[in-house]
Amino acid sequence: MAKKIFKSIMAVAAAVLIASLVIIMGCLYRYFSDVQGKQLEDELTLAIAAVEENGKEYLEGLQSSQYRLTWVAENGVVLYDTWFDMEEMENHGDREEIRQALQSREGKSSRYSTTLLEKTLYCARRLKDGSVLRISISSVTIWVLVLGMLQPIFIVIVVALILSGVLASRISKHIMEPLNSLDLEKPLENETYEELAPLLNRINKQRRQIERQLSELQRKNDEFAQITDGMTEGLVLLNEKNMVLNINPAALKLFHASNSCRGKDFLTVERSQDINRAIQDAFSGGHSEIRIEREGKEYQIHINRIESNGAVIGAVVLAFDITEAAFAERNRREFTANVSHELKTPLQTIMGSAELMENGLVKPEDMTRFVGHIRTEAGRLVTLIDDIIRLSRLDEGCNVPFEQIDLYKIATEVVAGLENMADQKDIQVTVTGEKVNIISVRQLLTEIIFNLCENAIKYNTDGGTVEVSIERQRNYAVLSVKDSGIGILPEHQERVFERFYRVDKSRSKESGGTGLGLSIVKHAVQYLNGKIDLESRPGEGTIIRIFLELLEE
Ligand code: ADP
């Protein structure tokens, strides 16, 4: 702006200078012309007086290199000329000044020479005898005047321009100073040009508006940050150039990135081709999904394109931890497959035996054995279905009432029910410990103790022992079932609680096992908020402890 002001001042100064020079030159020229015209008239008056008195003689005696006198008769014939030979001169009756003088006593005119640099002024007056005396002088034109004054004009121009330059620079600085020192943070507190008041008012208004909008934006940002920071889902906002605009802590953790990744290409955060391809798919198709595995966890990633006024402005990446859901889904699928398989095997045996009997292929003496088969398999089916029903009830969270139960008493009852089974294998089952009252679910406790004791007998050696003990340990009631059986190899110990998992399938089947017993125990203990601990040595035996919270009486 200072430059513009400087230039404007210089332009004005130059224009004023030129105009002044033109006017001065014009005035000077006019002044000199007037003076010269006056002189010419005076000279003519004198010459007329002399010619009227002395006639031609006066003119002949006149020797002037400045003035030229021409005496012209009424008919235009030149009577005498002080510079030229009148014989050779043509009729002057058509000359403008002569014509005027003949008509109205006096005439004036001027004519340029061929070069325009010289001009001749004519002044003519009629004499008493009707003839006309003309005086002429050659005068310089304005151009000659200008040329003659070129040097001083040049000096004036240079001096004026230097002066204008210095002044213009000072003035522009002076004008700019208050503008440069404007405090736009506090527009209304400035003491500056009055003319700026409306502008400063407007700036102040806009500042307030911007401040309001900024704080609103900040508030929204904070809200957004609070929401996204607390999210367990990973969230990444990308712009249309795949740059990270925002990323929440869950996503930072998932992609092993740091806060500095904001503003960088998402490729620098996550190099996985699959994810980046999915993002590109979302950019082109609007939405895409992908499942990934990270550190033993499964994530479902949804990517949605963001549009504004029909233009793509970015994408939002949402990562859900679906580990549990995927695990549950897998479990459900496995469970269904297992159930079908487990149901099919005994049914096939039943069908096979029944068909043989139907077709008369079974000898009468074998009939009892076959019917026995069918009964055993049917029994197995019933047990299996019972177990599945129990499990599904536990899965759904059975709504059975909690009541005060004596754990010792319930253990003795269950053991009594298994007496026959134990006797068959000559196994000695003992219950030791003390009366421990807990708030629990009778049916679930019975199932837990039954399954543990049944396994302790099933997977025991003939003549072995099973020790059931009930005791208090700080805040827990501890039920332990210890057997002197075959034990479980370390690699199976974790897995025996899975549904349908059996270490030795044939042995389990032989003893009527469904592979669901320990799984029911696990679920029931979980339902009762308890804990399970398994300790086993192959060939020596197994001890399973159940810890149930003791409520203060
Ligand atoms: P099952 O109906 O086959 O007994 P469980 O879920 O009760 O199914 O047990 C799973 C597997 O764990 C059994 O098949 C068996 O191999 C093993 N198991 C359970 N309890 C014992 C134990 N007390 N001693 C040795 N092995 C055991």
Side-chain angles (χ1 to χ4, degrees):
M1 189 168 170
K3 261 187 189 168
K4 216 168 179 179
I5 294 173
F6 178 84
K7 277 184 189 166
S8 305
I9 294 174
M10 286 300 283
V12 169
V16 169
L17 183 68
I18 290 165
S20 310
L21 282 173
V22 169
I23 291 167
I24 290 168
M25 292 303 291
C27 289
L28 276 176
Y29 181 69
R30 199 168 165 172
Y31 174 75
F32 287 125
S33 299
D34 284 354
V35 169
Q36 213 170 24
K38 275 251 163 57
Q39 266 181 349
L40 207 61
E41 274 178 41
D42 291 347
E43 288 295 335
L44 184 61
T45 313
L46 290 173
I48 286 175
V51 169
E52 275 184 336
E53 204 176 308
N54 304 320
K56 213 176 195 178
E57 263 173 64
Y58 166 72
L59 294 173
E60 279 167 353
L62 205 66
Q63 275 183 355
S64 168
S65 58
Q66 202 182 352
Y67 299 107
R68 173 186 162 200
L69 280 165
T70 313
W71 192 14
V72 182
E74 213 170 340
N75 59 0
V77 174
V78 178
L79 300 174
Y80 190 80
D81 193 285
T82 53
W83 284 10
F84 301 103
D85 184 1
M86 57 180 185
E87 301 295 323
E88 288 167 17
M89 289 174 77
E90 58 193 24
N91 189 300
H92 268 47
D94 60 343
R95 300 295 194 274
E96 197 189 339
E97 67 282 355
I98 305 236
R99 229 178 32 233
Q100 283 174 14
L102 286 172
Q103 276 168 14
S104 54
R105 200 174 158 273
E106 197 169 274
K108 275 182 191 166
S109 77
S110 60
R111 283 192 282 281
Y112 285 95
S113 71
T114 45
T115 57
L116 275 186
L117 290 176
E118 207 176 273
K119 191 170 97 168
T120 310
L121 298 177
Y122 297 96
C123 183
R125 212 175 281 160
R126 201 172 64 212
L127 276 68
K128 284 180 191 149
D129 61 357
S131 63
V132 171
L133 185 66
R134 181 185 78 174
I135 188 165
S136 64
I137 188 167
S138 107
S139 144
V140 289
T141 61
I142 190 150
W143 305 116
V144 178
L145 190 72
V146 171
L147 278 174
M149 290 185 75
L150 218 50
Q151 198 182 9
I153 287 175
F154 180 72
I155 292 168
V156 167
I157 287 177
V158 169
V159 171
L161 284 179
I162 290 171
L163 258 174
S164 307
V166 173
L167 283 175
S169 141
R170 281 199 181 173
I171 291 169
S172 58
K173 264 187 203 152
H174 188 69
I175 293 173
M176 286 307 296
E177 214 170 73
L179 295 178
N180 287 335
S181 58
L182 277 181
D183 181 3
L184 293 180
E185 298 287 309
K186 298 162 193 158
L188 295 186
E189 288 175 24
N190 288 296
E191 280 182 19
T192 182
Y193 305 119
E194 256 174 53
E195 293 77 0
L196 288 181
L199 177 72
L200 291 173
N201 267 331
R202 206 136 135 216
I203 291 175
N204 189 49
K205 226 175 183 178
Q206 279 178 350
R207 257 192 71 81
R208 283 213 310 268
Q209 202 175 344
I210 290 169
E211 269 167 16
R212 266 201 309 275
Q213 282 170 350
L214 271 179
S215 67
E216 176 72 4
L217 204 69
Q218 186 62 41
R219 196 180 59 76
K220 281 190 177 157
N221 248 352
D222 291 348
E223 257 176 35
F224 182 72
Q226 253 173 17
I227 294 169
T228 56
D229 284 3
M231 272 167 66
T232 44
E233 293 83 15
L235 176 93
V236 186
L237 287 179
L238 302 174
N239 71 4
E240 75 286 4
K241 288 180 184 145
N242 207 39
M243 245 177 215
V244 179
L245 296 177
N246 210 323
I247 182 163
N248 75 343
L252 285 175
K253 201 169 151 206
L254 169 63
F255 297 119
H256 295 292
S258 68
N259 272 319
S260 62
C261 71
R262 286 188 176 87
K264 290 184 186 160
D265 197 303
F266 187 68
L267 264 170
T268 61
V269 176
E270 176 58 49
R271 294 196 175 276
S272 151
Q273 274 190 0
D274 293 343
I275 297 179
N276 282 294
R277 203 174 303 124
I279 291 175
Q280 291 319 311
D281 288 350
F283 269 126
S284 50
H287 175 81
S288 70
E289 283 178 26
I290 184 173
R291 256 186 199 208
I292 58 160
E293 262 188 56
R294 286 283 150 96
E295 290 158 356
K297 287 192 167 189
E298 266 185 65
Y299 293 90
Q300 173 85 13
I301 299 185
H302 293 256
I303 306 144
N304 283 308
R305 184 172 68 192
I306 314 171
E307 291 175 27
S308 173
N309 292 332
V312 178
I313 57 163
V316 58
V317 180
L318 254 179
F320 298 90
D321 182 349
I322 53 155
T323 318
E324 272 182 31
F327 180 72
E329 194 189 307
R330 252 198 314 276
N331 267 355
R332 219 175 2 257
R333 248 187 268 129
E334 263 172 38
F335 183 68
T336 317
N338 280 330
V339 166
S340 324
H341 178 76
E342 296 293 330
L343 288 175
K344 208 175 153 194
T345 323
L347 276 174
Q348 270 172 342
T349 317
I350 294 171
M351 285 281 287
S353 301
E355 263 173 31
L356 287 173
M357 286 162 70
E358 194 181 34
N359 295 333
L361 295 169
V362 180
K363 291 180 196 155
E365 58 264 38
D366 292 332
M367 199 62 107
T368 331
R369 195 161 51 86
F370 271 77
V371 172
H373 272 319
I374 291 173
R375 208 186 62 83
T376 315
E377 292 304 321
R380 201 191 296 278
L381 273 177
V382 171
T383 320
L384 184 66
I385 290 164
D386 276 350
D387 279 356
I388 292 169
I389 290 170
R390 273 193 208 106
L391 254 181
S392 68
R393 270 202 210 123
L394 281 168
D395 278 347
E396 281 161 21
C398 47
N399 242 348
V400 264
F402 277 72
E403 56 185 304
Q404 187 166 315
I405 300 162
D406 177 2
L407 194 56
Y408 185 82
K409 194 172 166 226
I410 213 168
T412 337
E413 282 168 12
V414 173
V415 167
L418 285 163
E419 221 171 79
N420 262 347
M421 189 183 176
D423 285 349
Q424 277 174 20
K425 290 183 83 176
D426 193 20
I427 290 167
Q428 200 188 345
V429 187
T430 54
V431 183
T432 57
E434 51 181 321
K435 172 185 165 96
V436 180
N437 277 333
I438 55 168
I439 306 292
S440 194
V441 179
R442 179 176 295 277
Q443 190 198 331
L444 296 183
L445 281 179
T446 311
E447 268 169 30
I448 293 169
I449 302 169
F450 182 87
N451 280 316
L452 292 179
C453 292
E454 192 191 31
N455 279 352
I457 297 169
K458 267 198 300 192
Y459 302 106
N460 215 320
T461 43
D462 286 354
T465 57
V466 174
E467 293 166 33
V468 181
S469 80
I470 315 291
E471 55 183 354
R472 285 170 196 265
Q473 265 182 30
R474 276 179 277 172
N475 291 336
Y476 288 98
V478 185
L479 161 86
S480 39
V481 179
K482 182 181 175 188
D483 65 61
S484 57
I486 55 170
I488 306 166
L489 283 165
E491 62 266 33
H492 298 295
Q493 287 178 12
E494 279 263 304
R495 303 203 58 192
V496 288
F497 294 98
E498 289 174 17
R499 292 172 186 195
F500 295 110
Y501 190 84
R502 294 138 169 159
V503 176
D504 182 346
K505 253 194 170 173
S506 55
R507 183 175 181 143
S508 165
K509 275 203 170 167
E510 232 171 66
S511 51
T514 59
L516 292 174
L518 283 185
S519 160
I520 291 173
V521 169
K522 184 180 142 191
H523 273 73
V525 172
Q526 264 173 5
Y527 186 83
L528 299 175
N529 284 326
K531 286 187 272 182
I532 306 182
D533 176 59
L534 183 147
E535 230 183 281
S536 183
R537 285 214 181 92
E540 286 182 30
T542 305
I543 174 162
I544 297 180
R545 293 187 191 87
I546 307 292
F547 296 82
L548 296 167
E549 263 178 42
L550 259 182
L551 293 172
E552 289 302 320
E553 285 165 35

